[in-house]
Amino acid sequence: MNSTTKNDAKRPFPWHLIVFLFPALLIYCVFSVYPLIDTLFLSLFDEQQGQAHFVGLNNFITLITDENWSHAFWNALSNNLKFFIIHMLVQNPIGLLLAVLLSNPKLRLSSTYRTLIFMPTMLSVVIIGFVWQLLLSPIWGISEEFLYSIGLGHYFDAWLGKESSALLTLSLISVWQFVGIPMMLIYAALLNIPDDILDAGVVDGANPLQTFLHIKLPLILPTISMVSILTFVANFNAFELIYAVKGALAGPNFSTDLMGTFFYRTFFGFQLQQGSESMGAAVATLMFLIILIGVMLFLFFVQRRIRRFQL
């Protein structure tokens, strides 16, 4: 037996780690793990005359195939995909561009710009929805007068009141509010790039664009990957903005309905729709599975390619 083995045998068990980790683990299990397991369990039952009956996967089959449920489900899922794609194609590239600009040491007042861009992120989604609803109102909003003042008045329309533009408008409002998050994450990653690497690129004759494409971008790809995952998870959990602006019915004609608002109506009921705990749990379970499968596929295909690219 060598000295290392003897030292390991004499080393006491780190009970202090359990003492410090137990409160956090307990809180996590009570408020995250237990509700998740209970939701999965509840989705397998159906309540009839006040009694729960085990129905297996019937709730999921009904949700996906029954004509009374399937149209609303697929509509909400389709809108959620559009909501996510808009954020990926608009929010994250803008966040990347802003991070690159603000990381330039020659830019004056960069800290002020960062604060102003990130400030909407700290505001309540309810406040943001209410304010933008006032701004875009055709009756008392200022958007119409503003567009006319710059010669673009003929483009103004009741964007929140039309099925063709309501979801896009709400998506862009969400982009405006949360673009500060990818900006700050990518900005922090850019600041962590060693100056020696950048200086070596300048010595080799690389211009700013080449420096970004061939040096900075490969080094911040893991951060961009993490931002994409956070965007996917956040968008498929979105609820507050749609509910604050368009209510639980997600009008007009459910054109802004997302999985979050669909779950709210299904579980709690709304107006003439009666709530169902089992069907609501089935919707929540499908939301969880969609997020889980999406993150796993992203990590398996995209993350592996990023690691190969870096190597």
Side-chain angles (χ1 to χ4, degrees):
M1 182 179 294
N2 54 33
S3 58
T4 303
T5 306
K6 292 180 179 180
N7 293 332
D8 292 340
K10 295 179 181 179
R11 185 177 299 171
F13 186 80
W15 293 103
H16 62 284
L17 295 180
I18 297 180
V19 173
F20 286 110
L21 291 177
F22 180 75
L25 182 61
L26 179 62
I27 293 174
Y28 177 75
C29 291
V30 171
F31 292 101
S32 295
V33 177
Y34 172 73
L36 175 60
I37 296 176
D38 187 61
T39 300
L40 297 176
F41 187 74
L42 181 61
S43 65
L44 303 177
F45 287 80
D46 185 22
E47 290 188 2
Q48 296 179 0
Q49 298 179 354
Q51 295 182 351
H53 301 276
F54 181 78
V55 295
L57 300 178
N58 284 349
N59 289 332
F60 300 97
I61 297 174
T62 299
L63 191 63
I64 296 175
T65 61
D66 187 83
E67 61 180 6
N68 295 324
W69 290 95
S70 60
H71 177 72
F73 170 76
W74 292 114
N75 176 64
L77 180 59
S78 175
N79 289 338
N80 231 142
L81 287 173
K82 296 175 184 178
F83 194 74
F84 164 67
I85 292 173
I86 292 172
H87 279 76
M88 284 293 295
L89 297 181
V90 180
Q91 173 185 279
N92 292 349
I94 292 178
L96 174 61
L97 177 61
L98 291 174
V100 172
L101 294 176
L102 294 176
S103 63
N104 187 352
K106 297 181 181 180
L107 180 65
R108 300 177 59 184
L109 301 176
S110 60
S111 60
T112 303
Y113 298 144
R114 289 199 309 270
T115 303
L116 293 176
I117 296 172
F118 190 77
M119 190 176 297
T121 305
M122 299 181 290
L123 298 177
S124 170
V125 179
V126 177
I127 296 176
I128 293 294
F130 181 73
V131 170
W132 275 101
Q133 193 173 14
L134 292 177
L135 293 175
L136 298 177
S137 173
I139 300 176
W140 52 72
I142 64 173
S143 300
E144 184 176 8
E145 295 181 2
F146 173 75
L147 290 177
Y148 273 108
S149 64
I150 59 176
L152 300 175
H154 58 283
Y155 288 107
F156 179 79
D157 203 349
W159 295 305
L160 289 175
K162 289 190 172 182
E163 296 182 26
S164 59
S165 59
L167 181 63
L168 175 62
T169 304
L170 289 174
S171 301
L172 295 178
I173 293 174
S174 179
V175 166
W176 172 83
Q177 181 180 9
F178 293 110
V179 71
I181 295 178
M183 179 197 72
M184 293 301 296
L185 292 174
I186 298 174
Y187 174 79
L190 289 171
L191 293 184
N192 286 329
I193 298 177
D195 293 334
D196 297 341
I197 299 178
L198 300 178
D199 294 338
V202 174
V203 171
D204 291 339
N207 57 41
L209 180 60
Q210 292 173 334
T211 300
F212 173 75
L213 293 177
H214 300 290
I215 299 177
K216 293 183 178 181
L217 184 59
L219 293 175
I220 64 174
L221 279 179
T223 302
I224 296 177
S225 174
M226 180 185 66
V227 168
S228 301
I229 293 176
L230 293 176
T231 303
F232 177 77
V233 174
N235 288 165
F236 273 87
N237 281 318
F239 168 76
E240 297 93 340
L241 180 62
I242 306 298
Y243 185 80
V245 178
K246 309 304 295 183
L249 291 178
N253 195 25
F254 302 103
S255 60
T256 59
D257 195 19
L258 302 182
M259 293 296 292
T261 50
F262 177 58
F263 161 75
Y264 177 88
R265 294 195 311 273
T266 303
F267 190 90
F268 297 101
F270 190 78
Q271 292 185 355
L272 298 179
Q273 180 177 348
Q274 185 176 1
S276 173
E277 294 183 358
S278 57
M279 292 300 296
V283 175
T285 301
L286 287 178
M287 292 173 62
F288 168 73
L289 293 177
I290 291 171
I291 294 174
L292 179 63
I293 294 173
V295 171
M296 290 177 62
L297 291 176
F298 186 89
L299 292 176
F300 183 77
F301 291 104
V302 179
Q303 194 73 13
R304 291 178 64 185
R305 290 179 179 272
I306 291 176
R307 290 181 179 178
R308 293 177 182 176
F309 178 76
Q310 288 179 323
L311 295 175

